[in-house]
Each structure stands twice: as structure tokens, then as C-alpha cells.
Amino acid sequence: MKILISADMEGATGVTWPADCEPGTEQWQRCRGMFTSDVNAAIGGLFEGGATEVLVNEAHSTMRNLLLEELDERATMITGRHKELSMVEGVQAGDVDGIVFLGYHCGAGEDGVLAHTYLPNAITGVWLDGQPASEGYLNAAVVAEYGTPVILVTGDDRACEDAESYAPFARTVAVKDHVSRYAARCRPPARTAADIREAAEKAMLLAGRLEPASPAEKAMEIEVDSAQLAQAAAMVPGVTRTGTRRVRYTSPDAYEMIRAFKAVCTLISSSMENNYG
């Protein structure tokens, strides 16, 4: 049984504000240990539940945040950016029996600790086929096309609630409770590690290849916080402006949907200036 862990950082234990997860800051250095602890707890529980292989895919920012030297030696890790499927890199091998969304968070415009979708600001809303779409929601659509079930989601309490929209049968672990976008009532690492380990072990009961979802057209709508960002996004072939700050595109399947979204985000990021955004 091969399990993939997609490890994001905003929803990790103790992370509550930007400096906690911005590479290079003192707070980021401190929180890397707690992030790695969450991942190791999941790895331990997965193996105890019957996993024979665990692959960790770094999914946050530079994708070089986890401490490899402290990673459970039974696992392997994909680290670094510019990957075909970004946050769920590895699932396209077609041999993944379950995926863990660890350290996830709510989507842009929603209530949740460090809530966003791909970009920390700039994007104010994302909808997939008319439904509000967090990173978890988008990634779940992608992995479904490979027959891989989402078996566990960890993050703040709002991220766990969000998981009900895309993985209603998955186990969830709240490592903190939302107070505001930049504040949370946090559980200490010793407690969250125990909770994640226990949930991961039980989540293995949900692991097992499913019938891959049939490719179906996906409609994406993205709202940004200023007009020039919509203009930039519309430079991607097939992306059209539907309003001053909105763009839309359709893709033949989730695989192309997420790749186009990555391209849109890249152009949006390159079209912002300091202070003015």
C-alpha cells in the first residue's frame, strides 16, 4: 500500500501568521520543526496502519521547508519547485493507494487561518464548476482522476470543515482552532503528533485504489484584487476576462485544469509591484 503525503505549511501545528511560514524568517526556522513533526506523525501512523511505502511531496512555497535530516527514515520525499502537478506531484505514477492532505487550509476569501488559494493575497476567490474551491478541493479533483482517495486531512478546524466538501469520508485532525486569519487557539506539538498518528493509522482503512474518475470538462473562475492582474491572467490561451477583476477558463479534465491554474498564478505573481500589488 503506497501512500502520498501532500505537505503544506499554513495548516501545520503552531503556524498562525505569515512569518511562521515565509522561508528565511526566524519564525519559519522555528516552525519547520513543528511542520516536520506533523509529517513524521502521519508517516508513523500510516506504517502502523499497514502502509508499505510513504512518499512525501513538499507542497508549500519554495517546497524546501521540511527538515529532511529529521524525516522518518522509512519515507522518501520530493522536495523543490517546478513540478508537473505541484502540490500532488507523484500521484500521476498511477500507483498511489491513498493521499494525505497535511497542513491544509481554507480557500481564498474564506474564514480560516492564513486562508488563501495558491497565492497568499492577490487571488480573492476561486470557483470550480461554480463551487468555492480551496487548494484541497482542487487537488482532490486531480487525484480522483488517478483513482486515489483522500484518506486524511489536517489543518485548522475550518480546513477540516472544508474537507467535507471534497473528501467527506476522510479522517480529519484539527491542530488549531481559527480565531482570525492571523490567530488561532493552538494545540502543542506533543498533542497534535499523537492525534495525527492515531488518525493516520485509522485512515489506512480507507486506502485502496478506486475507479479513476472519468475526465470531464472543468470550468474555473478566478477573482483577483486588481484589474491588471485579471489582464495578466488573460494572457494564458483560453483564459478570458468576465469582469474587471475576474477571469474564466474551461479545461477538458482536472489534470489540465490544475496546470492552467498554475500558469495563471505565475502570470498574476509576475504582474504585481511592491506596495501597489
Side-chain angles (χ1 to χ4, degrees):
M1 297 289 280
K2 179 179 178 180
I3 307 298
L4 176 65
I5 298 176
S6 171
D8 203 359
M9 195 171 182
E10 285 91 354
T13 296
V15 173
T16 62
W17 75 309
D20 290 340
C21 55
E22 290 177 350
T25 69
E26 181 180 352
Q27 284 297 105
W28 168 74
Q29 287 288 9
R30 169 177 167 266
C31 290
R32 293 175 77 191
M34 290 188 283
F35 183 28
T36 305
S37 173
D38 284 1
V39 170
N40 279 338
I43 294 169
L46 292 169
F47 276 113
E48 287 167 8
T52 56
E53 181 180 355
V54 176
L55 173 63
V56 180
N57 178 49
E58 275 234 42
H60 174 69
S61 185
T62 60
M63 301 183 178
R64 294 180 176 87
N65 309 278
L66 289 169
L67 300 171
L68 179 62
E69 61 272 27
E70 295 182 13
L71 194 72
D72 188 309
E73 63 183 16
R74 294 170 293 180
T76 55
M77 181 171 71
I78 302 171
T79 184
R81 299 178 66 187
H82 311 305
K83 297 172 288 194
E84 181 183 12
L85 285 182
S86 190
M87 297 184 74
V88 291
E89 180 68 22
V91 75
Q92 67 266 48
D95 61 351
V96 178
D97 298 294
I99 188 167
V100 174
F101 289 170
L102 184 140
Y104 271 47
H105 48 81
C106 288
E110 301 297 325
D111 263 336
V113 178
L114 295 173
H116 69 283
T117 305
Y118 267 58
L119 301 181
N121 43 44
I123 291 177
T124 55
V126 177
W127 296 264
L128 177 61
D129 294 330
Q131 298 300 311
S134 62
E135 291 170 8
Y137 195 96
L138 297 177
N139 291 334
V142 176
V143 302
E145 291 188 347
Y146 293 94
T148 299
V150 180
I151 62 173
L152 172 64
V153 179
T154 78
D156 72 352
D157 57 327
R158 301 298 177 88
C160 292
E161 292 172 9
D162 179 60
E164 295 176 6
S165 68
Y166 60 81
F169 301 108
R171 293 273 178 176
T172 59
V173 176
V175 301
K176 54 200 171 193
D177 295 327
H178 168 265
V179 173
S180 74
R181 194 181 187 203
Y182 306 117
R185 180 178 177 180
C186 296
R187 298 151 179 74
R191 179 176 168 187
T192 59
D195 290 345
I196 292 171
R197 190 180 191 106
E198 179 182 5
E201 181 180 359
K202 293 178 178 178
M204 282 302 298
L205 295 173
L206 302 171
R209 304 277 300 145
L210 302 175
E211 185 69 26
S214 298
E217 185 176 85
K218 303 292 183 184
M220 280 281 282
E221 188 167 9
I222 304 161
E223 180 184 78
V224 291
D225 67 0
S226 59
Q228 97 274 6
L229 302 183
Q231 181 183 33
M235 291 175 65
V236 176
V239 177
T240 59
R241 292 180 76 171
T242 58
T244 303
R245 296 184 294 109
R246 287 202 180 207
V247 297
R248 189 179 190 277
Y249 68 88
T250 58
S251 297
D253 51 33
Y255 172 81
E256 295 295 345
M257 173 274 294
I258 202 70
R259 285 159 56 83
F261 185 58
K262 185 176 176 182
V264 165
C265 289
T266 298
L267 279 173
I268 289 173
S269 294
S270 67
S271 301
M272 291 186 282
E273 301 292 345
N274 291 338
N275 299 324
Y276 283 81

